[in-house]
Amino acid sequence: MTERIYNFAAGPACLPIEVLEEARDNLLSLGKTGIGILEHSHRSKAYMAVHEEAEALCRELAGISEDYQVLFLQGGASLQFSMVPMNLLARDQTADYLVTGAWSQKALAEARRCGNVHIACSSEDRNFCYIPKTCTFSSRPAYVHFTSNNTIFGTEFTREPDVPAGAPLVCDASSDLFSRPLPISRYALIYGGAQKNLGPSGVTLVVIRNDLVEGGPKDLGTMLQYRTYAGEHSLYNTPPTFGIYVIGLVLKWIKKQGGLAAVEKVNRQKADKLYSYLDQSRRFRPTADRDSRSLMNVTFVTQDAALDEKFVARAKQAGLDGLKGHRSVGGMRASLYNAFPPAGVDALIQAMREFERENG
Ligand code: PMP
């Protein structure tokens, strides 16, 4: 087999090796069924067990009660930018958005198509390098939407924002869902694409409180209503079966690590080590404000665009891939999701140290 290298990509991203091995072993035959996981009918008994186990593990690990639906959808987090306002925002209502990066801006733009929007805070003034400390809400928001981790700008909310009493809190947690314990009762709806911490691309996890499902409009297209998925256990039509299977494997792996508190501990150690190096470096500098730093996506620069490029190329030669920062920020981005191994952080620091020696 070709040797695997360290993959710092922002998503799709690296998956635990044990998960990949188990998926590989079940490609030709899922257990003893004689039919591979990619080939099973979504109505088969074997697949139903996979589907139910993935949902049960989501509930167990994140402590999700029967007051919520756990749904597996398609269309990415980007479709949720539309489905959230379509289902929760009436024409004459206002939804409040915390704008902390490009993904929040995209979510906001979709809400504008459905009703009124109010920007409760924004960090655009400094190219989204921080999480604002205060928000100003509209008088009775239909819901408040925020992005818990800003994948591109490397910033993260350290806790849920305080919202006006009774306002449903909605979160795009695409890049930190299941990377730390989830205080689910704070949320009315939380969603994320699977392709960072949870599995392959093609599945979007939506956890939504029952009252929001029931209260949604009934005149939307069938596939755009949450009740369609809730009523049929995410099996109204053919779900992304392989993706849901891999999510189940990743969740089993998280459970084996000790659950969400345990993976958070390792995620924190990885990020702290990298930030500590960056803080003392005379060549590299982190781009996010200290109190807003993401544990998932560590963004940094050499403070010289040509050297950034040189470092990314040099790192790639050393088997450290996917470090180029998003074009709107430049520099580098090291994504350290659950499955990213601590040894990869050591290898990156080693590469930076050598680069610094050569490039002053
Ligand atoms: N929100 C966030 C925070 C993201 O990081 C991404 C993807 N990188 C998206 C939304 C869009 O997700 P998708 O590509 O699954 O639509």
Side-chain angles (χ1 to χ4, degrees), residues 10-11 75-79 81 103 147 149-152 172-175 191 193-196 204 337:
S78 300
L79 182 60
F81 295 166
W103 298 113
T147 314
N149 183 76
N150 298 283
T151 325
I152 294 174
D172 170 8
S174 287
S175 45
Y191 64 90
Q195 65 268 24
K196 296 158 200 303
T204 315
Y337 303 124

Side-chain angles (χ1 to χ4, degrees), residues 78-96:
S78 300
L79 182 60
Q80 294 312 302
F81 295 166
S82 299
M83 274 180 77
V84 165
M86 284 171 134
N87 283 273
L88 307 184
L89 180 62
R91 274 265 161 242
D92 59 347
Q93 289 182 314
T94 300
D96 288 12

Side-chain angles (χ1 to χ4, degrees), residues 144-197:
V144 175
H145 180 284
F146 79 112
T147 314
S148 50
N149 183 76
N150 298 283
T151 325
I152 294 174
F153 297 94
T155 63
E156 185 170 21
F157 281 81
T158 50
R159 61 181 192 85
E160 290 68 34
D162 293 319
V163 298
L169 183 62
V170 176
C171 179
D172 170 8
S174 287
S175 45
D176 64 350
L177 195 57
F178 283 80
S179 71
R180 55 181 176 176
L182 186 61
I184 191 72
S185 61
R186 297 289 303 272
Y187 294 94
L189 194 165
I190 183 163
Y191 64 90
Q195 65 268 24
K196 296 158 200 303
N197 279 302

Side-chain angles (χ1 to χ4, degrees), residues 216-268:
K218 295 188 172 154
D219 55 353
L220 288 171
T222 308
M223 291 292 285
L224 298 171
Q225 300 181 31
Y226 290 114
R227 72 167 55 74
T228 302
Y229 302 88
E232 303 272 348
H233 225 63
S234 308
L235 283 157
Y236 168 75
N237 73 327
T238 318
T241 53
F242 183 69
I244 295 168
Y245 164 71
V246 178
I247 289 178
L249 297 184
V250 171
L251 293 171
K252 263 197 276 184
W253 176 84
I254 292 176
K255 190 173 167 180
K256 212 167 110 194
Q257 309 306 303
L260 295 182
V263 291
E264 180 187 23
K265 194 170 159 205
V266 177
N267 287 335
R268 198 167 284 286

